[in-house]
Amino acid sequence: MIKDQNFKTDRATVLDPATTQDTQSSPRLIIVSGVLLGHQIELGEAPVTIGRSSECTIALPHPSVSRQHCRIWRENGRYRIEDLGSTNRTFLNGDVVTRAELRDGDQISIGSNALKFFVGASVEARYHDELIDLAIYDSLTGFYNRRHFRSLLDDELKKSADDGVVSLLMLDLDYFKAINDQHGHLVGDQVLTGVADVLRARAPSGAFIGRLGGEEFAMVLRDMGLHAAIDVAELLRAAIGAHPLTLRDKQLRVTVSAGVAECVGRGGVSSDLLRSADQQLYRAKQSGRDRVSPEK
Protein backbone atom coordinates (compact mmCIF):
# COMPACT_ATOMS: atom_id res chain seq x y z
CA MET A 1 0.00 0.00 0.00
CA ILE A 2 1.12 3.56 -0.66
CA LYS A 3 -0.43 6.26 1.44
CA ASP A 4 -2.33 9.20 -0.04
CA GLN A 5 -2.59 8.00 -3.61
CA ASN A 6 -2.93 10.92 -6.04
CA PHE A 7 -2.92 13.27 -3.04
CA LYS A 8 -0.22 15.91 -2.69
CA THR A 9 1.36 16.38 0.73
CA ASP A 10 4.58 17.96 1.94
CA ARG A 11 6.09 14.48 1.97
CA ALA A 12 5.46 13.02 -1.46
CA THR A 13 2.91 12.78 -4.21
CA VAL A 14 1.93 9.19 -4.97
CA LEU A 15 0.67 8.67 -8.49
CA ASP A 16 -1.46 5.97 -9.99
CA PRO A 17 0.15 4.50 -13.14
CA ALA A 18 -2.69 5.93 -15.28
CA THR A 19 -2.13 9.53 -14.15
CA THR A 20 1.57 10.19 -14.63
CA GLN A 21 1.66 12.08 -17.90
CA ASP A 22 2.42 15.46 -16.31
CA THR A 23 5.02 14.30 -13.78
CA GLN A 24 7.86 13.29 -16.05
CA SER A 25 10.08 16.26 -15.07
CA SER A 26 9.74 15.76 -11.29
CA PRO A 27 12.16 13.73 -9.14
CA ARG A 28 10.43 10.45 -8.50
CA LEU A 29 10.64 6.76 -7.68
CA ILE A 30 9.16 4.12 -9.99
CA ILE A 31 8.44 0.66 -8.60
CA VAL A 32 9.71 -1.60 -11.39
CA SER A 33 9.19 -4.97 -9.70
CA GLY A 34 7.30 -6.28 -6.70
CA VAL A 35 3.84 -6.02 -5.21
CA LEU A 36 3.21 -2.41 -6.27
CA LEU A 37 4.63 -2.67 -9.79
CA GLY A 38 4.03 0.49 -11.78
CA HIS A 39 3.37 2.96 -8.99
CA GLN A 40 5.28 6.23 -9.09
CA ILE A 41 6.09 8.45 -6.14
CA GLU A 42 6.86 12.10 -6.78
CA LEU A 43 9.39 13.17 -4.16
CA GLY A 44 8.95 16.28 -2.06
CA GLU A 45 10.96 18.06 0.61
CA ALA A 46 10.32 15.82 3.64
CA PRO A 47 11.61 12.24 4.13
CA VAL A 48 9.90 9.25 2.54
CA THR A 49 10.05 6.04 4.56
CA ILE A 50 9.83 2.60 2.93
CA GLY A 51 9.03 -0.62 4.78
CA ARG A 52 6.49 -3.29 5.61
CA SER A 53 4.72 -1.18 8.25
CA SER A 54 1.49 0.55 7.26
CA GLU A 55 2.93 3.67 8.91
CA CYS A 56 5.54 4.02 6.15
CA THR A 57 5.01 6.39 3.25
CA ILE A 58 5.48 3.40 0.94
CA ALA A 59 4.28 0.19 2.58
CA LEU A 60 5.54 -2.94 0.81
CA PRO A 61 3.65 -5.90 2.33
CA HIS A 62 6.20 -8.66 1.84
CA PRO A 63 8.16 -10.71 4.43
CA SER A 64 11.46 -9.83 2.72
CA VAL A 65 10.92 -6.18 3.71
CA SER A 66 11.60 -4.92 7.26
CA ARG A 67 8.96 -2.87 9.06
CA GLN A 68 11.13 0.24 8.74
CA HIS A 69 13.51 -0.63 5.91
CA CYS A 70 15.00 2.62 4.59
CA ARG A 71 14.30 6.30 4.08
CA ILE A 72 14.89 8.84 1.33
CA TRP A 73 15.18 12.56 1.97
CA ARG A 74 16.34 15.76 0.33
CA GLU A 75 19.41 17.55 1.65
CA ASN A 76 21.06 20.59 0.05
CA GLY A 77 19.12 20.04 -3.15
CA ARG A 78 20.11 16.37 -3.51
CA TYR A 79 18.30 13.18 -2.56
CA ARG A 80 19.91 10.67 -0.21
CA ILE A 81 19.04 7.16 0.96
CA GLU A 82 19.73 5.52 4.31
CA ASP A 83 19.17 1.96 5.50
CA LEU A 84 17.26 1.82 8.81
CA GLY A 85 18.87 -1.34 10.17
CA SER A 86 16.86 -3.67 7.92
CA THR A 87 17.27 -7.45 8.15
CA ASN A 88 17.89 -8.02 4.44
CA ARG A 89 19.75 -4.73 3.90
CA THR A 90 19.16 -2.06 1.26
CA PHE A 91 20.93 -2.35 -2.09
CA LEU A 92 21.85 0.46 -4.46
CA ASN A 93 22.74 -0.67 -7.98
CA GLY A 94 23.44 -4.16 -6.62
CA ASP A 95 25.67 -3.09 -3.72
CA VAL A 96 24.78 -3.03 -0.03
CA VAL A 97 24.32 0.56 1.07
CA THR A 98 24.13 2.15 4.51
CA ARG A 99 23.87 5.75 3.37
CA ALA A 100 24.44 7.28 -0.06
CA GLU A 101 23.50 10.01 -2.48
CA LEU A 102 21.01 9.06 -5.19
CA ARG A 103 21.75 9.78 -8.84
CA ASP A 104 19.48 9.76 -11.88
CA GLY A 105 18.76 6.17 -12.95
CA ASP A 106 19.86 4.48 -9.69
CA GLN A 107 18.09 1.23 -8.81
CA ILE A 108 17.15 0.53 -5.20
CA SER A 109 16.47 -3.06 -4.12
CA ILE A 110 14.35 -3.60 -1.00
CA GLY A 111 13.72 -7.28 -0.37
CA SER A 112 12.00 -8.65 -3.48
CA ASN A 113 11.06 -5.14 -4.67
CA ALA A 114 13.00 -2.86 -7.00
CA LEU A 115 12.58 0.90 -7.40
CA LYS A 116 14.23 3.29 -9.85
CA PHE A 117 15.12 6.89 -8.96
CA PHE A 118 14.77 9.48 -11.71
CA VAL A 119 15.47 13.18 -11.58
CA GLY A 120 13.74 14.07 -14.82
CA ALA A 121 12.45 12.88 -18.15
CA SER A 122 15.43 10.76 -19.14
CA VAL A 123 15.33 8.27 -21.98
CA GLU A 124 15.59 5.45 -19.43
CA ALA A 125 12.62 6.85 -17.50
CA ARG A 126 10.48 6.78 -20.63
CA TYR A 127 11.73 3.28 -21.38
CA HIS A 128 10.67 2.07 -17.94
CA ASP A 129 7.30 3.79 -18.34
CA GLU A 130 6.75 1.79 -21.52
CA LEU A 131 7.74 -1.45 -19.78
CA ILE A 132 5.38 -0.67 -16.93
CA ASP A 133 2.55 -0.02 -19.39
CA LEU A 134 3.16 -3.44 -20.94
CA ALA A 135 3.17 -5.08 -17.50
CA ILE A 136 -0.03 -3.39 -16.30
CA TYR A 137 -2.31 -2.65 -19.23
CA ASP A 138 -4.02 -4.66 -21.92
CA SER A 139 -2.61 -3.30 -25.18
CA LEU A 140 -5.89 -3.58 -27.11
CA THR A 141 -8.36 -1.93 -24.75
CA GLY A 142 -6.16 0.07 -22.38
CA PHE A 143 -7.80 -1.59 -19.36
CA TYR A 144 -5.78 -3.31 -16.65
CA ASN A 145 -4.59 -6.78 -17.62
CA ARG A 146 -5.71 -9.81 -15.62
CA ARG A 147 -2.65 -9.98 -13.37
CA HIS A 148 -2.71 -6.34 -12.34
CA PHE A 149 -6.50 -6.28 -12.01
CA ARG A 150 -6.27 -9.18 -9.54
CA SER A 151 -3.61 -7.30 -7.58
CA LEU A 152 -5.76 -4.16 -7.40
CA LEU A 153 -8.80 -6.21 -6.37
CA ASP A 154 -6.79 -7.83 -3.58
CA ASP A 155 -5.72 -4.40 -2.36
CA GLU A 156 -9.29 -3.12 -2.49
CA LEU A 157 -10.59 -6.01 -0.41
CA LYS A 158 -7.82 -5.53 2.16
CA LYS A 159 -8.63 -1.81 2.46
CA SER A 160 -12.36 -2.36 2.82
CA ALA A 161 -13.73 -1.39 6.24
CA ASP A 162 -15.34 -3.99 8.51
CA ASP A 163 -18.77 -2.89 7.32
CA GLY A 164 -17.65 -1.86 3.82
CA VAL A 165 -18.73 -3.50 0.60
CA VAL A 166 -17.04 -4.15 -2.75
CA SER A 167 -18.97 -5.45 -5.75
CA LEU A 168 -17.57 -7.14 -8.83
CA LEU A 169 -19.08 -7.29 -12.31
CA MET A 170 -17.95 -9.83 -14.88
CA LEU A 171 -19.07 -9.22 -18.46
CA ASP A 172 -18.60 -11.60 -21.38
CA LEU A 173 -19.48 -10.94 -25.03
CA ASP A 174 -22.11 -13.30 -26.41
CA TYR A 175 -21.23 -15.51 -29.40
CA PHE A 176 -17.86 -13.84 -29.81
CA LYS A 177 -16.31 -16.95 -31.39
CA ALA A 178 -18.92 -16.75 -34.14
CA ILE A 179 -17.93 -13.12 -34.79
CA ASN A 180 -14.28 -14.12 -35.16
CA ASP A 181 -15.15 -17.11 -37.34
CA GLN A 182 -17.46 -15.15 -39.63
CA HIS A 183 -15.71 -11.79 -39.86
CA GLY A 184 -12.11 -12.50 -38.88
CA HIS A 185 -9.98 -11.58 -35.88
CA LEU A 186 -9.39 -8.00 -37.04
CA VAL A 187 -13.13 -7.35 -36.82
CA GLY A 188 -13.14 -9.21 -33.50
CA ASP A 189 -10.55 -6.76 -32.17
CA GLN A 190 -12.67 -3.84 -33.39
CA VAL A 191 -15.65 -5.27 -31.53
CA LEU A 192 -13.62 -5.55 -28.32
CA THR A 193 -12.37 -1.96 -28.56
CA GLY A 194 -15.92 -0.74 -29.32
CA VAL A 195 -17.30 -2.51 -26.25
CA ALA A 196 -14.40 -1.17 -24.19
CA ASP A 197 -15.29 2.37 -25.27
CA VAL A 198 -18.85 1.90 -24.02
CA LEU A 199 -17.67 0.46 -20.70
CA ARG A 200 -15.20 3.30 -20.23
CA ALA A 201 -17.82 5.96 -20.99
CA ARG A 202 -20.53 4.44 -18.78
CA ALA A 203 -18.48 3.21 -15.81
CA PRO A 204 -19.38 4.87 -12.50
CA SER A 205 -16.87 7.27 -10.99
CA GLY A 206 -14.20 5.41 -9.02
CA ALA A 207 -14.72 2.07 -10.77
CA PHE A 208 -11.74 0.30 -12.31
CA ILE A 209 -11.91 -2.11 -15.23
CA GLY A 210 -9.83 -5.05 -16.36
CA ARG A 211 -9.76 -7.30 -19.39
CA LEU A 212 -9.43 -10.77 -17.94
CA GLY A 213 -8.74 -12.38 -21.29
CA GLY A 214 -10.41 -12.93 -24.63
CA GLU A 215 -13.86 -11.35 -24.60
CA GLU A 216 -14.20 -11.18 -20.80
CA PHE A 217 -14.11 -7.93 -18.81
CA ALA A 218 -14.44 -7.18 -15.11
CA MET A 219 -15.31 -4.05 -13.16
CA VAL A 220 -14.84 -3.29 -9.46
CA LEU A 221 -17.37 -1.01 -7.76
CA ARG A 222 -16.23 0.44 -4.44
CA ASP A 223 -18.76 1.04 -1.65
CA MET A 224 -21.61 -0.35 -3.75
CA GLY A 225 -23.86 -3.21 -2.67
CA LEU A 226 -25.24 -6.02 -4.78
CA HIS A 227 -28.55 -4.40 -5.81
CA ALA A 228 -26.93 -1.15 -6.93
CA ALA A 229 -24.23 -3.13 -8.77
CA ILE A 230 -26.90 -5.13 -10.61
CA ASP A 231 -28.39 -1.81 -11.75
CA VAL A 232 -24.99 -0.76 -13.10
CA ALA A 233 -24.60 -4.09 -14.91
CA GLU A 234 -28.06 -3.69 -16.48
CA LEU A 235 -27.19 -0.19 -17.68
CA LEU A 236 -23.96 -1.44 -19.23
CA ARG A 237 -25.65 -4.43 -20.84
CA ALA A 238 -28.37 -2.21 -22.35
CA ALA A 239 -25.85 0.40 -23.54
CA ILE A 240 -23.73 -2.18 -25.34
CA GLY A 241 -26.79 -3.80 -26.94
CA ALA A 242 -28.06 -0.41 -28.11
CA HIS A 243 -24.70 0.58 -29.58
CA PRO A 244 -24.26 -1.23 -32.93
CA LEU A 245 -20.69 -1.15 -34.18
CA THR A 246 -20.00 0.11 -37.69
CA LEU A 247 -17.55 -2.29 -39.30
CA ARG A 248 -16.60 -1.96 -42.94
CA ASP A 249 -19.90 -1.50 -44.77
CA LYS A 250 -22.22 -2.95 -42.15
CA GLN A 251 -23.37 -2.51 -38.58
CA LEU A 252 -22.88 -5.34 -36.14
CA ARG A 253 -24.94 -5.58 -32.96
CA VAL A 254 -23.26 -7.30 -30.05
CA THR A 255 -24.60 -8.23 -26.63
CA VAL A 256 -23.04 -9.15 -23.31
CA SER A 257 -23.97 -11.33 -20.37
CA ALA A 258 -23.01 -10.24 -16.87
CA GLY A 259 -22.54 -11.81 -13.46
CA VAL A 260 -22.49 -9.78 -10.25
CA ALA A 261 -21.21 -10.60 -6.76
CA GLU A 262 -20.41 -8.64 -3.61
CA CYS A 263 -18.03 -8.92 -0.68
CA VAL A 264 -19.06 -7.34 2.62
CA GLY A 265 -16.49 -6.56 5.30
CA ARG A 266 -12.74 -6.69 5.55
CA GLY A 267 -10.62 -9.67 4.59
CA GLY A 268 -12.31 -10.97 1.46
CA VAL A 269 -10.27 -12.95 -1.05
CA SER A 270 -10.24 -11.96 -4.71
CA SER A 271 -10.40 -15.57 -5.90
CA ASP A 272 -13.64 -16.14 -3.96
CA LEU A 273 -15.25 -12.97 -5.30
CA LEU A 274 -14.17 -13.76 -8.86
CA ARG A 275 -15.52 -17.30 -8.51
CA SER A 276 -18.90 -16.03 -7.27
CA ALA A 277 -19.21 -13.49 -10.10
CA ASP A 278 -18.14 -16.14 -12.63
CA GLN A 279 -20.84 -18.52 -11.36
CA GLN A 280 -23.44 -15.79 -11.85
CA LEU A 281 -22.08 -15.11 -15.33
CA TYR A 282 -22.48 -18.80 -16.17
CA ARG A 283 -26.12 -18.63 -15.02
CA ALA A 284 -26.71 -15.61 -17.26
CA LYS A 285 -25.29 -17.53 -20.23
CA GLN A 286 -27.34 -20.62 -19.45
CA SER A 287 -30.51 -18.52 -19.11
CA GLY A 288 -30.31 -17.24 -22.66
CA ARG A 289 -27.51 -14.64 -22.75
CA ASP A 290 -27.89 -10.85 -23.04
CA ARG A 291 -28.90 -10.66 -19.38
CA VAL A 292 -27.59 -10.06 -15.86
CA SER A 293 -27.48 -12.58 -13.02
CA PRO A 294 -28.67 -12.47 -10.36
CA GLU A 295 -31.84 -10.62 -11.24
CA LYS A 296 -33.28 -8.12 -8.79
Side-chain angles (χ1 to χ4, degrees), residues 31 67 77 99 102 131 158 169 202 245:
I31 300 178
R67 288 184 59 79
R99 182 170 176 157
L102 290 173
L131 289 182
K158 290 175 184 176
L169 276 57
R202 300 299 182 95
L245 304 172

Side-chain angles (χ1 to χ4, degrees), residues 173-174 176 179 191 194-195 237 239-245 247 252-256 290:
L173 274 66
D174 298 324
F176 185 68
I179 293 174
V191 168
V195 170
R237 181 200 61 79
I240 292 169
H243 184 76
L245 304 172
L247 305 169
L252 182 63
R253 181 178 179 270
V254 297
T255 63
V256 296
D290 190 20

Side-chain angles (χ1 to χ4, degrees), residues 12 55 119 201 289 295:
E55 298 302 313
V119 174
R289 294 180 170 83
E295 298 179 350

Side-chain angles (χ1 to χ4, degrees), residues 194-219:
V195 170
D197 288 342
V198 176
L199 294 177
R200 187 177 291 108
R202 300 299 182 95
S205 176
F208 60 86
I209 310 172
R211 182 185 176 200
L212 302 188
E215 66 273 27
E216 190 172 59
F217 299 90
M219 180 182 296

Side-chain angles (χ1 to χ4, degrees), residues 73-172:
W73 76 101
R74 189 173 184 178
E75 182 179 291
N76 298 326
R78 297 180 180 275
Y79 285 93
R80 303 180 186 277
I81 185 169
E82 179 181 39
D83 184 79
L84 297 176
S86 65
T87 301
N88 292 324
R89 314 294 296 274
T90 299
F91 291 80
L92 184 63
N93 301 321
D95 296 323
V96 173
V97 64
T98 301
R99 182 170 176 157
E101 180 181 323
L102 290 173
R103 302 182 185 278
D104 189 34
D106 278 350
Q107 178 160 314
I108 304 161
S109 297
I110 300 170
S112 61
N113 304 271
L115 302 86
K116 295 282 284 188
F117 170 77
F118 291 114
V119 174
S122 68
V123 172
E124 189 177 5
R126 291 193 294 272
Y127 171 71
H128 275 278
D129 288 344
E130 291 175 3
L131 289 182
I132 289 165
D133 281 349
L134 290 173
I136 291 175
Y137 300 110
D138 169 57
S139 60
L140 182 65
T141 64
F143 293 151
Y144 292 120
N145 62 27
R146 182 184 186 91
R147 178 177 176 273
H148 196 66
F149 181 86
R150 283 286 302 270
S151 176
L152 291 175
L153 179 56
D154 277 327
D155 288 345
E156 197 64 38
L157 294 174
K158 290 175 184 176
K159 291 187 295 184
S160 179
D162 292 333
D163 57 350
V165 60
V166 175
S167 289
L168 175 68
L169 276 57
M170 292 184 68
L171 304 101
D172 191 274

